Amino acid sequence: QEMLALKSDETLLDIGCGTGRLLQAVSCRKAVGLDRSHDMLSLAQEKGIESLVRASAETLPFPDQSFDAVTLITVLEFVPDPEKVIREMFRVCKDRLVLGVLNRYSSLYLWKRIKGTLARTSYKEACFQTVQSLKHLIEPIAPGCSIEYKTTLVLRPIPGLGALFEQQLTRMGFPFGAFLVMRVSRES
């Protein structure tokens, strides 16, 4: 939520909202969840989320610049055309995009790949990203926009110490955390 920096008078589109976890956590004027899965939208609706749309991330059913902020959390890994999805996000966004992806340069990636070869999982076909691969996708679509990122490590074997180590590496711009969040902001 720190990278999202959503204000109470703004609007949000959460693409691939799933069960609505992010939508429950934000406070803004209008938050819309979009997912292609009827089952996921039903679960979100059961949580009391009302503004839900069933559609594909590749063809968003909204006019240009409809939302102040647009999020896409752990979805890009599973779409056939990531560039098309980012283009659509940028089209419907007024101010900023926030993408959350699983980082290819992490121990979690290695673990998911090994697990995917041994058992049938949704991660077997997933295309994990890196800071550079995301920038490579975004920069031609959003020239002149500011891009910032943070990663989070999964190092918590020793309570307190793991979290402290994680905070220090994140502050230094450490690009190897398991979860990568990138914010793309239009210049005003």
Side-chain angles (χ1 to χ4, degrees):
Q1 288 194 16
E2 175 187 329
M3 293 285 276
L4 183 55
L6 197 62
K7 297 178 185 131
S8 61
D9 64 336
E10 291 185 312
T11 57
L12 168 72
L13 172 63
D14 183 23
I15 301 171
C17 68
T19 62
R21 189 175 194 170
L22 176 67
L23 295 168
Q24 285 184 303
V26 299
S27 177
C28 61
R29 181 167 50 90
K30 179 182 177 187
V32 177
L34 180 136
D35 206 293
R36 67 179 184 182
S37 168
H38 174 73
D39 293 342
M40 288 291 130
L41 291 173
S42 293
L43 291 169
Q45 196 170 30
E46 286 174 17
K47 291 181 176 181
I49 299 165
E50 295 176 8
S51 191
L52 298 166
V53 177
R54 185 170 181 209
S56 166
E58 287 92 346
T59 53
L60 299 174
F62 304 105
D64 295 358
Q65 297 190 2
S66 299
F67 299 92
D68 294 299
V70 179
T71 57
L72 185 85
I73 310 297
T74 56
V75 174
L76 204 61
E77 298 88 327
F78 303 99
V79 298
D81 190 348
E83 182 181 333
K84 189 171 185 182
V85 171
I86 292 171
R87 238 177 239 296
E88 277 294 279
M89 289 178 73
F90 196 70
R91 181 184 66 78
V92 301
C93 145
K94 286 182 202 171
D95 182 54
R96 64 198 171 282
L97 313 175
V98 176
L99 297 100
V101 298
L102 299 172
N103 190 354
R104 189 180 326 143
Y105 292 156
S106 71
S107 58
L108 178 67
Y109 168 77
L110 183 59
W111 170 246
K112 294 288 187 187
R113 280 292 175 230
I114 292 169
K115 194 173 175 185
T117 59
L118 301 174
R120 185 178 160 100
T121 73
S122 58
Y123 292 99
K124 188 171 187 166
E125 303 296 322
C127 181
F128 285 52
Q129 300 290 330
T130 66
V131 171
Q132 286 310 109
S133 68
L134 269 181
K135 283 184 174 181
H136 183 75
L137 282 168
I138 293 167
E139 286 172 342
I141 296 166
C145 288
S146 73
I147 297 175
E148 58 185 298
Y149 74 89
K150 289 187 177 188
T151 65
T152 300
L153 298 175
V154 182
L155 294 174
R156 307 233 178 200
I158 304 167
L161 187 58
L164 180 63
F165 186 62
E166 183 177 302
Q167 288 171 355
Q168 290 303 321
L169 290 174
T170 301
R171 278 192 206 114
M172 295 180 337
F174 188 75
F176 304 111
F179 190 68
L180 164 63
V181 179
M182 188 167 282
R183 176 183 163 131
V184 183
S185 301
R186 291 182 188 266
E187 295 298 316
S188 300

